[in-house]
Amino acid sequence: AGARQILDLFARDRQRVEGLGRAAGSPLRLHQLLQKQPLLTIRRAAQQLGVSLPTVATALARLEELGIVREVTGRPRDRLFTYQEYLEIISQGDEPLHGNSGG
Protein backbone atom coordinates (compact mmCIF):
# COMPACT_ATOMS: atom_id res chain seq x y z
CA ALA A 1 0.00 0.00 0.00
CA GLY A 2 2.87 2.35 0.79
CA ALA A 3 4.14 3.09 -2.72
CA ARG A 4 0.62 3.37 -4.12
CA GLN A 5 -0.33 5.76 -1.31
CA ILE A 6 2.72 7.90 -2.00
CA LEU A 7 2.05 8.09 -5.73
CA ASP A 8 -1.57 9.04 -5.07
CA LEU A 9 -0.43 11.74 -2.66
CA PHE A 10 2.07 13.19 -5.16
CA ALA A 11 -0.54 13.25 -7.94
CA ARG A 12 -3.20 14.83 -5.74
CA ASP A 13 -0.86 17.49 -4.39
CA ARG A 14 0.48 18.24 -7.87
CA GLN A 15 -3.06 18.96 -9.04
CA ARG A 16 -3.57 21.29 -6.10
CA VAL A 17 -0.37 23.15 -6.95
CA GLU A 18 -1.37 23.37 -10.62
CA GLY A 19 -4.57 25.01 -9.40
CA LEU A 20 -2.45 28.08 -8.61
CA GLY A 21 -2.44 28.79 -12.34
CA ARG A 22 0.26 31.20 -13.48
CA ALA A 23 1.81 31.24 -10.02
CA ALA A 24 2.40 27.47 -10.07
CA GLY A 25 5.87 27.40 -11.67
CA SER A 26 8.20 27.56 -8.68
CA PRO A 27 5.82 25.73 -6.31
CA LEU A 28 5.66 22.84 -8.82
CA ARG A 29 9.44 22.59 -8.99
CA LEU A 30 9.60 22.77 -5.22
CA HIS A 31 6.98 20.03 -4.92
CA GLN A 32 9.13 17.80 -7.14
CA LEU A 33 12.15 18.50 -4.97
CA LEU A 34 10.18 17.69 -1.80
CA GLN A 35 9.37 14.27 -3.27
CA LYS A 36 13.10 13.51 -3.11
CA GLN A 37 13.83 15.50 0.04
CA PRO A 38 10.77 15.81 2.27
CA LEU A 39 12.72 17.95 4.76
CA LEU A 40 14.04 21.24 3.41
CA THR A 41 15.32 24.62 4.48
CA ILE A 42 14.80 27.65 2.26
CA ARG A 43 18.55 27.90 1.64
CA ARG A 44 18.86 24.24 0.68
CA ALA A 45 15.89 24.43 -1.68
CA ALA A 46 17.28 27.57 -3.32
CA GLN A 47 20.63 25.85 -3.95
CA GLN A 48 18.96 22.72 -5.32
CA LEU A 49 16.62 24.63 -7.65
CA GLY A 50 19.09 27.36 -8.58
CA VAL A 51 16.68 30.16 -7.65
CA SER A 52 16.73 33.02 -5.17
CA LEU A 53 15.81 32.72 -1.50
CA PRO A 54 12.74 34.98 -1.88
CA THR A 55 11.50 32.82 -4.78
CA VAL A 56 11.72 29.72 -2.61
CA ALA A 57 10.16 31.47 0.38
CA THR A 58 7.19 32.52 -1.73
CA ALA A 59 6.81 29.05 -3.23
CA LEU A 60 6.95 27.46 0.24
CA ALA A 61 4.33 29.90 1.49
CA ARG A 62 2.06 28.83 -1.37
CA LEU A 63 2.58 25.15 -0.56
CA GLU A 64 1.93 25.91 3.10
CA GLU A 65 -1.36 27.62 2.23
CA LEU A 66 -2.36 24.50 0.30
CA GLY A 67 -1.55 22.39 3.35
CA ILE A 68 1.18 20.48 1.52
CA VAL A 69 4.18 21.59 3.57
CA ARG A 70 4.45 22.54 7.20
CA GLU A 71 7.04 24.69 8.91
CA VAL A 72 8.18 22.78 11.99
CA THR A 73 10.61 24.99 13.91
CA GLY A 74 8.46 28.04 14.61
CA ARG A 75 11.62 30.14 14.24
CA PRO A 76 11.91 33.28 12.12
CA ARG A 77 15.27 32.09 10.69
CA ASP A 78 16.63 28.73 9.55
CA ARG A 79 13.12 27.41 9.23
CA LEU A 80 12.62 23.78 8.33
CA PHE A 81 9.77 22.73 6.10
CA THR A 82 8.41 19.19 5.88
CA TYR A 83 6.28 17.43 3.31
CA GLN A 84 4.08 16.36 6.18
CA GLU A 85 1.74 13.78 4.67
CA TYR A 86 4.58 12.13 2.73
CA LEU A 87 6.65 11.75 5.90
CA GLU A 88 3.65 10.28 7.70
CA ILE A 89 3.18 7.65 4.99
CA ILE A 90 6.90 6.79 5.06
CA SER A 91 7.04 6.51 8.82
CA GLN A 92 3.99 4.24 8.95
CA GLY A 93 6.12 1.61 7.28
CA ASP A 94 8.98 1.96 9.76
CA GLU A 95 7.37 1.83 13.16
CA PRO A 96 4.21 0.60 14.82
CA LEU A 97 1.65 3.30 15.51
CA HIS A 98 1.28 3.92 19.21
CA GLY A 99 -2.47 3.81 19.23
CA ASN A 100 -2.85 7.59 19.25
CA SER A 101 -4.77 9.17 16.41
CA GLY A 102 -2.87 12.43 16.83
CA GLY A 103 -6.03 14.50 17.19
Side-chain angles (χ1 to χ4, degrees):
R4 178 80 257 165
Q5 244 181 316
I6 288 169
L7 291 173
D8 287 348
L9 173 70
F10 288 169
R12 193 172 70 233
D13 285 346
R14 186 184 169 84
Q15 283 184 319
R16 287 156 74 191
V17 178
E18 284 172 345
L20 295 170
R22 281 202 315 233
S26 295
L28 274 175
R29 289 179 62 205
L30 191 57
H31 179 242
Q32 283 178 314
L33 180 60
L34 282 158
Q35 292 171 30
K36 299 188 208 77
Q37 301 174 36
L39 287 162
L40 276 179
T41 61
I42 291 178
R43 185 173 303 280
R44 179 79 187 262
Q47 287 168 344
Q48 298 276 335
L49 295 176
V51 297
S52 70
L53 296 174
T55 298
V56 171
T58 303
L60 278 166
R62 292 254 198 279
L63 294 183
E64 211 173 1
E65 284 162 20
L66 292 172
I68 294 171
V69 301
R70 221 173 95 203
E71 200 287 312
V72 291
T73 65
R75 295 192 298 244
R77 299 173 64 90
D78 298 321
R79 291 177 298 164
L80 185 64
F81 292 83
T82 69
Y83 194 165
Q84 192 62 30
E85 232 178 312
Y86 180 27
L87 286 177
E88 281 166 19
I89 294 171
I90 298 172
S91 64
Q92 277 169 16
D94 294 346
E95 57 190 86
L97 295 171
H98 307 296
N100 75 6
S101 54

